[in-house]
Amino acid sequence: MPHATASWLVDNTSLSFEQIADFCGLHILEVQAIADDTAATKLTGRDPVRAHELTMDEIEKGQANPDYQLQMLKGPEQVRRTKGPRYTPVSKRQDKPDGIAWIIRNHPEISDGAIGKLIGTTRTTIAAIRDRTHWNIGNITPKDPVTLGLCSQRELDALVAKAAKAAGIEAQPDTRLEGDREALLEQLRAEREQAARDAENGGVVAPKPLFEDPFRR
């Protein structure tokens, strides 16, 4: 629950947005939006100290030094995955083909093996989307895997940089969100207000990702 954790850290600590974004695996603009949003449907914070992910000593170190990188407490070994494909929640699995198609279109230098590890899919599925033989190819629309919640911006940026270096090309920085912070804030407010209305009406709706690309049409 990175957004809820970020909300708690914003409200209860003096950590920098960069530190919170790095710890939660979020884009810094997401953290800024959480901090600046004054809507009544503001996120309910999740305490990472009570969740045994951080200690107060670690938080104090970060508050004392803006350049300090927070260290998450090591989780139980028995619940850590070391092999096999990346786990994706059932609610997001239908979005995988869209995310794969986006990477293939925008970053052809990334190998099928690397895409499979990032998204949590098979080489067979990637190959089918690449050569347009996938059974559902007519309904696949390339969408940013970050906005779909399939990976974090930091993971995608690292993969793009690694692939670009291996291919001998210069990785282009992601500037899609520069200068459009207000559009992001408005998107967040609208989604939270809709969630509040649904809750008041007693309706049950499928959760939407907190952060979506404001430029996607």
Side-chain angles (χ1 to χ4, degrees), residues 21-208:
D22 182 71
F23 178 76
C24 296
L26 301 175
H27 194 287
I28 188 172
L29 285 186
E30 294 181 83
V31 179
Q32 290 178 327
I34 290 171
D36 293 344
D37 190 11
T38 57
T41 53
K42 187 174 181 180
L43 279 173
T44 299
R46 174 179 178 273
D47 186 348
V49 178
R50 294 186 62 182
H52 304 293
E53 295 173 349
L54 272 178
T55 64
M56 286 307 301
D57 287 343
E58 190 71 8
I59 290 175
E60 289 172 1
K61 288 180 183 178
Q63 292 178 146
N65 179 9
D67 295 324
Y68 181 75
Q69 186 175 34
L70 299 175
Q71 302 297 315
M72 182 179 290
L73 293 177
K74 189 175 182 181
E77 289 298 330
Q78 63 269 24
V79 300
R80 287 179 170 267
R81 291 179 61 88
T82 56
K83 294 183 179 180
R86 180 192 186 107
Y87 174 76
T88 304
V90 175
S91 62
K92 295 185 180 296
R93 290 179 187 175
Q94 71 268 19
D95 295 330
K96 284 186 178 183
D98 292 345
I100 295 168
W102 187 92
I103 295 176
I104 290 174
R105 185 185 68 180
N106 292 279
H107 299 287
E109 72 277 9
I110 299 179
S111 69
D112 289 0
I115 295 174
K117 290 180 180 179
L118 180 71
I119 303 298
T121 189
T122 65
R123 290 174 183 265
T124 301
T125 298
I126 299 170
I129 295 173
R130 190 183 291 279
D131 59 24
R132 301 190 64 79
T133 59
H134 190 278
W135 67 272
N136 196 34
I137 192 65
N139 295 317
I140 295 177
T141 303
K143 297 177 183 177
D144 189 337
V146 175
T147 63
L148 291 173
L150 298 173
C151 65
S152 70
Q153 187 67 53
R154 182 170 50 180
E155 290 173 322
L156 179 60
D157 288 346
L159 183 61
V160 170
K162 182 177 180 180
K165 182 178 180 181
I169 60 179
E170 183 178 352
Q172 297 298 317
D174 186 354
T175 60
R176 289 170 302 151
L177 297 178
E178 290 183 1
D180 287 273
R181 187 161 157 273
E182 289 303 318
L184 174 61
L185 286 170
E186 186 60 31
Q187 176 75 21
L188 289 168
R189 291 192 183 100
E191 290 187 3
R192 294 179 191 176
E193 289 169 1
Q194 182 60 52
R197 287 193 293 269
D198 291 336
E200 290 174 359
N201 294 331
V204 178
V205 296
K208 293 183 178 180

